[in-house]
Amino acid sequence: MTAAARRRRVLVIDVGGTHIKLWLAGRKEPVKIDSGPHMTAAHMARAVRVITKDWHFDVITIGYPGPVKNDRPAREPFNLGDGWVGFPYQRALHHPVRIVNDAALQALGSYEGGHMLFLGLGTGLGSGLVLRGAIVPMELAHLPYRKGKTYEDYLGEDGRQALGNRKWRRHVFDVCDLFAKALLPDYILLGGGNVKHLATLPAGVRLGSNANVVRGGYRLWLPRERRAR
Amino acid sequence: MTAAARRRRVLVIDVGGTHIKLWLAGRKEPVKIDSGPHMTAAHMARAVRVITKDWHFDVITIGYPGPVKNDRPAREPFNLGDGWVGFPYQRALHHPVRIVNDAALQALGSYEGGHMLFLGLGTGLGSGLVLRGAIVPMELAHLPYRKGKTYEDYLGEDGRQALGNRKWRRHVFDVCDLFAKALLPDYILLGGGNVKHLATLPAGVRLGSNANVVRGGYRLWLPRERRAR
């Protein structure tokens, strides 16, 4: 790695349905921008440009709340405005930009080497692998689980509301066990907003945290072999 | 790659329930050894030593009919004798040995780059990914599929017998479609003995062949970035 790469400063833009958070290494708290169903990619870019006018950074990582393919959003977000697919991020933000699914970003920040499966417990159910520092996005959520319903039907927010926390937790454990045996990861990382409703953790399962989003955003710009802790 | 590596000769031992096949690049047909429920690892090693006494090769790849972890069989085989877990292959065969699941070996030989999912249709249902030339073994077979039964219950040999070829084929297509959407591979490779019962192929699905076992055995000794066609 060159000295330049070592000092690379990364702005991390974590795009969410209620807030867009701007993280810069060295700052304790992110700056929050209100988002919502009218927030388009162009609005986001304008707000980011204004707020970060005097900030110093070299590159940008965006955590996107939806599937990402080839470094670009592959589907418009559920809880935001339109215009996210095909938006010229790099041009609008005046910096090199890499985009990755938000659950994957938290996962990469929590990665400790080996073969990691991550599950994002939020409105939906995010999933993917990190293998030798490379993110492998997946959509396990929509596979059949029980009684003609999918993993997401049970583990997503609607499932939690319908089941109640006690039963929902039991299914989280059950699905971790099924996926551990099927995908043979060295460990499972649980992230996403709903991990706060878990009381305990199954063996071989770890918790991600929001702080890992910043680290994930930074690591995305490192070579794959340097992305583990 | 050094010139020595380029010329490396690989003996491939494909261990099956009825035959053990010995493949050497340059020979059109493998030499077959009868196997069966009394075939132990020690028997195999003795037979291989006798048959290959005058053969010239540098290293050995073994395709093993069961899960492999850290280059070693992780469970005794279903249709063979015992003693396969913990056997000193390298010492008994007098050559460096790498061991890999038999379906994974065929998969590696068929790999054409990118993100490949392979499914082995045989007695059971083998599965795994090949990602940037690295084999990622999986056991998707035992996840729930329909009516409280697993993918293997439907797609394995017992399932084919119970369903008949027509319905079995429909489920093979259905599972390819589910896995394509869940694991997001660039393409799916179907291998294993039962591919002969397929009449057509779904879009994005390719067929492996036995010849690919030899190529897989050879590629296993190449650096990962040189393993695609």
Side-chain angles (χ1 to χ4, degrees):
Chain A
M1 193 172 64
T2 62
R6 197 174 297 123
R7 286 197 306 265
R8 187 188 279 133
R9 284 156 306 183
V10 183
L11 171 69
V12 180
I13 306 178
D14 188 14
V15 178
T18 51
H19 293 102
I20 292 173
K21 294 179 195 157
L22 305 182
W23 299 87
L24 203 58
R27 293 181 181 236
K28 285 223 169 125
E29 293 293 327
V31 171
K32 291 184 181 181
I33 305 169
D34 286 341
S35 65
H38 301 293
M39 174 61 83
T40 65
H43 286 141
M44 178 278 293
R46 202 174 311 134
V48 170
R49 277 201 312 268
V50 170
I51 291 170
T52 64
K53 195 161 55 74
D54 300 318
W55 295 16
H56 296 286
F57 54 91
D58 306 299
V59 293
I60 296 175
T61 296
I62 298 179
Y64 179 77
V68 174
K69 189 103 183 172
N70 298 327
D71 217 35
R72 291 281 165 261
R75 200 167 61 202
E76 293 295 336
F78 279 118
N79 310 318
L80 298 169
D82 281 339
W84 295 81
V85 174
F87 184 78
Y89 293 92
Q90 198 134 320
R91 186 143 48 87
L93 292 166
H94 309 314
H95 285 82
V97 173
R98 290 189 180 168
I99 304 180
V100 70
N101 168 267
D102 54 356
L105 195 61
Q106 194 186 54
L108 185 61
S110 313
Y111 182 57
E112 300 179 34
H115 177 173
M116 178 176 103
L117 170 68
F118 66 89
L119 297 175
L121 300 169
T123 311
L125 174 66
S127 59
L129 297 175
V130 182
L131 275 169
R132 294 192 187 83
I135 296 169
V136 184
M138 295 191 165
E139 294 277 342
L140 301 174
H142 307 296
L143 285 175
Y145 172 42
R146 287 163 68 100
K147 301 180 181 171
K149 298 203 170 175
T150 67
Y151 294 108
E152 184 165 282
D153 291 335
Y154 275 78
L155 264 51
E157 176 58 13
D158 286 351
R160 194 183 67 82
Q161 302 263 353
L163 291 162
N165 275 334
R166 203 173 50 84
K167 283 191 187 169
W168 177 80
R169 282 180 203 135
R170 205 193 302 147
H171 286 291
V172 171
F173 278 42
D174 182 44
V175 171
C176 283
D177 188 51
L178 275 175
F179 284 175
K181 287 176 180 152
L183 302 169
L184 309 175
D186 297 317
Y187 53 103
I188 296 178
L189 183 97
L190 292 179
N194 274 346
V195 295
K196 63 175 176 283
H197 299 294
L198 292 171
T200 58
L201 282 181
V205 176
R206 306 173 190 180
L207 276 195
S209 78
N210 273 331
N212 291 332
V213 170
V214 197
R215 194 194 285 125
Y218 175 73
R219 285 182 171 177
L220 197 66
W221 291 85
L222 296 179
R224 283 199 298 276
E225 64 277 11
R226 298 200 60 252
R227 287 177 175 176
R229 195 165 287 191
Chain B
M1 192 174 59
T2 64
R6 198 173 298 123
R7 285 196 307 266
R8 188 189 278 133
R9 285 155 306 182
V10 183
L11 172 68
V12 180
I13 306 177
D14 187 15
V15 178
T18 53
H19 293 102
I20 291 172
K21 294 180 195 154
L22 306 183
W23 300 86
L24 202 58
R27 293 182 183 236
K28 285 221 168 127
E29 292 294 325
V31 172
K32 290 184 181 182
I33 305 169
D34 287 341
S35 66
H38 301 294
M39 175 61 83
T40 65
H43 286 142
M44 177 279 291
R46 202 174 312 132
V48 169
R49 278 202 311 268
V50 170
I51 291 170
T52 64
K53 195 161 55 75
D54 300 320
W55 295 16
H56 297 285
F57 54 91
D58 306 300
V59 294
I60 296 175
T61 295
I62 298 179
Y64 179 78
V68 173
K69 189 104 184 173
N70 298 325
D71 217 36
R72 292 281 166 259
R75 200 166 62 201
E76 294 295 336
F78 278 118
N79 310 316
L80 298 167
D82 282 340
W84 295 81
V85 175
F87 184 77
Y89 292 91
Q90 198 135 319
R91 186 140 50 85
L93 293 165
H94 310 314
H95 285 83
V97 173
R98 289 188 181 171
I99 304 180
V100 70
N101 169 267
D102 53 358
L105 195 60
Q106 195 186 52
L108 184 60
S110 313
Y111 182 58
E112 299 179 34
H115 177 174
M116 178 177 102
L117 171 68
F118 65 89
L119 297 175
L121 300 170
T123 311
L125 174 67
S127 59
L129 298 175
V130 182
L131 274 170
R132 295 193 185 82
I135 296 168
V136 184
M138 295 191 166
E139 295 277 342
L140 303 174
H142 308 295
L143 285 176
Y145 171 42
R146 286 164 67 99
K147 300 180 182 171
K149 298 201 170 177
T150 67
Y151 295 107
E152 183 165 283
D153 291 335
Y154 275 77
L155 264 52
E157 175 59 13
D158 287 352
R160 193 182 67 83
Q161 302 263 352
L163 292 162
N165 276 334
R166 202 174 51 84
K167 283 191 186 168
W168 177 80
R169 280 179 203 136
R170 204 193 304 148
H171 286 292
V172 171
F173 278 42
D174 183 43
V175 171
C176 283
D177 186 52
L178 276 174
F179 285 175
K181 287 175 180 152
L183 302 169
L184 309 176
D186 297 315
Y187 52 104
I188 296 178
L189 183 97
L190 291 179
N194 275 347
V195 294
K196 63 175 176 283
H197 300 294
L198 292 171
T200 57
L201 283 181
V205 176
R206 305 173 191 182
L207 277 195
S209 78
N210 274 329
N212 292 332
V213 169
V214 196
R215 194 194 285 126
Y218 175 74
R219 285 180 171 177
L220 197 65
W221 292 86
L222 296 179
R224 283 198 298 275
E225 63 277 11
R226 299 202 59 252
R227 286 178 175 174
R229 196 168 286 191

